[in-house]
């Protein structure tokens, strides 16, 4: 089971979103310099004997050209979304959209679901957790929910395959994991491999390594449920120990550089 990593560019944002209180005013320094930094955006292609799997579809290529709402783009800019669109990123590792047999959507935020239009009107199954699909529509179609969902990303004629279980066996060695916290229906995954290391995809349960390795919380605006977030992290740590797995974070640029040639 080979796993290729797709480079989908970089999001630019305040580090405090990912590491709560990383830069804070104190008595001796009431006006500290904020840290405006880059976060990696990536997808995975999993070459499984039963299917070629795409993990997430990334940002819409027109994110910087008005497709993303102005306030959201101000907070989380993705200036190279067009340069690193899904077709280009797939081509870089020897695939085309037509090669994809199924898609796993970890969640439906705009930097993860913006390429779903490629599968509009096809029979390619799109796996998503029930709570995520419900919350995404609630968020995009009403004043309730979160503000990082765009109906235009996911309101297509898609072959939704709804996951309800805490753990869902998709294929031999591919298990989907419900990790609520960042969003109500965030999915992670465990890839068990016989001759290579196991891979545990934490995704946006941990934007950066310190969120997982040091227990550093993400900013409140990135957490739907802080208690569920803590419980999901402990669940992942237990799986990491039991399966001796390598944990992959959601947007860590340093880790991305280490894994970009594949897992």
């Amino acid at each position: 089971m080979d796993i290729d990593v797709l480079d989908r560019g970089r999001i630019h944002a305040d580090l405090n979103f990912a590491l709560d209180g990383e830069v804070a005013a104190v008595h001796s320094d009431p006006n500290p310099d904020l840290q405006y930094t880059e976060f990696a955006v990536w997808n995975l292609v999993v070459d499984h004997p039963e299917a070629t799997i795409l993990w997430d579809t990334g940002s819409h290529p027109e994110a910087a050209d008005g497709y993303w709402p102005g306030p959201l783009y101000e907070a989380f800019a993705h200036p190279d979304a067009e340069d690193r669109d899904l077709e280009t990123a797939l081509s870089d590792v020897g695939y085309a959209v037509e090669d994809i047999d199924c898609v796993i959507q970890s969640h439906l935020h705009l930097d993860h679901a913006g390429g779903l239009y490629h599968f509009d009107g096809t029979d390619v199954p799109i796996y998503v957790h029930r709570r995520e699909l419900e919350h995404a529509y609630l968020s995009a179609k009403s004043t309730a929910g979160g503000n990082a969902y765009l109906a235009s990303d996911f309101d297509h004629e898609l072959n939704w395959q709804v996951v309800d279980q805490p753990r869902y066996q998709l294929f031999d060695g591919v298990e989907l994991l419900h990790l609520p916290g960042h969003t109500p229906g965030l999915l992670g995954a465990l890839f068990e491999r016989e001759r290579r290391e196991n891979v545990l995809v934490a995704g946006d349960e941990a934007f950066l390594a310190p969120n997982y390795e040091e227990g550093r919380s993400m900013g409140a605006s990135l957490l739907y449920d802080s208690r569920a977030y803590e419980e999901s992290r402990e669940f992942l740590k237990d799986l990491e120990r039991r399966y001796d797995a390598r944990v992959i974070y959601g947007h860590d640029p340093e880790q991305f550089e280490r894994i970009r040639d594949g897992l």
Side-chain angles (χ1 to χ4, degrees):
M1 194 183 344
D2 293 328
I3 303 177
D4 285 298
V5 182
L6 306 187
D7 182 358
R8 299 301 306 279
R10 302 292 180 272
I11 282 179
H12 300 232
D14 191 318
L15 184 58
N16 280 314
F17 284 116
L19 297 176
D20 188 35
E22 176 69 8
V23 179
V26 294
H27 179 70
S28 59
D29 187 7
N31 298 296
D33 292 332
L34 295 175
Q35 295 186 42
Y36 192 66
T37 191
E38 295 184 3
F39 299 90
V41 183
W42 52 265
N43 306 145
L44 302 176
V45 176
V46 183
D47 184 11
H48 188 278
E50 298 180 59
T52 300
I53 307 165
L54 176 65
W55 177 274
D56 277 344
T57 60
S59 301
H60 193 282
E62 297 176 2
D65 299 320
Y67 180 83
W68 283 10
L72 274 173
Y73 192 83
E74 277 294 295
F76 298 96
H78 196 169
D80 59 353
E82 184 175 12
D83 296 333
R84 301 305 311 165
D85 63 282
L86 181 59
E87 291 168 304
T88 298
L90 281 169
S91 177
D92 285 348
V93 295
Y95 291 90
V97 172
E98 293 74 25
D99 296 325
I100 302 302
D101 297 313
C102 70
V103 177
I104 302 168
Q105 274 299 146
S106 68
H107 60 308
L108 294 171
H109 277 171
L110 73 177
D111 57 324
H112 292 261
L116 280 171
Y117 68 89
H118 287 287
F119 305 97
D120 188 7
T122 74
D123 61 358
V124 175
I126 312 294
Y127 290 87
V128 67
H129 196 275
R130 178 180 296 278
R131 288 289 292 114
E132 188 65 19
L133 194 59
E134 294 170 345
H135 186 69
Y137 272 96
L138 177 70
S139 299
K141 300 284 191 176
S142 78
T143 57
N147 61 2
Y149 295 95
L150 299 179
S152 53
D153 279 343
F154 53 81
D155 195 12
H156 300 297
E157 185 182 337
L158 297 169
N159 181 17
W160 294 114
Q161 299 296 308
V162 176
V163 177
D164 249 343
Q165 301 94 320
R167 302 179 68 168
Y168 178 83
Q169 195 76 31
L170 180 59
F171 300 114
D172 184 31
V174 179
E175 186 176 14
L176 305 185
L177 312 167
H178 184 209
L179 304 174
H182 175 58
T183 71
L186 183 72
L187 286 175
L190 174 63
F191 297 101
E192 293 184 74
R193 305 190 290 183
E194 291 183 1
R195 291 179 294 275
R196 303 179 71 177
E197 68 179 342
N198 296 327
V199 173
L200 184 60
V201 181
D204 282 10
E205 165 64 18
F207 259 49
L208 303 177
N211 299 132
Y212 183 81
E213 297 171 10
E214 302 171 18
R216 296 279 305 276
S217 177
M218 297 191 295
S221 63
L222 295 185
L223 293 179
Y224 172 79
D225 185 330
S226 59
R227 177 170 292 182
Y229 167 73
E230 298 289 344
E231 292 171 351
S232 292
R233 185 173 60 204
E234 291 308 308
F235 172 54
L236 285 170
K237 284 184 173 292
D238 180 59
L239 291 177
E240 178 191 10
R241 289 189 293 267
R242 288 166 55 194
Y243 291 92
D244 190 24
R246 183 174 190 174
V247 182
I248 307 301
Y249 312 121
H251 294 279
D252 192 297
E254 294 181 5
Q255 183 186 61
F256 175 80
E257 292 301 321
R258 294 194 297 270
I259 68 172
R260 64 184 307 161
D261 291 331
L263 290 165

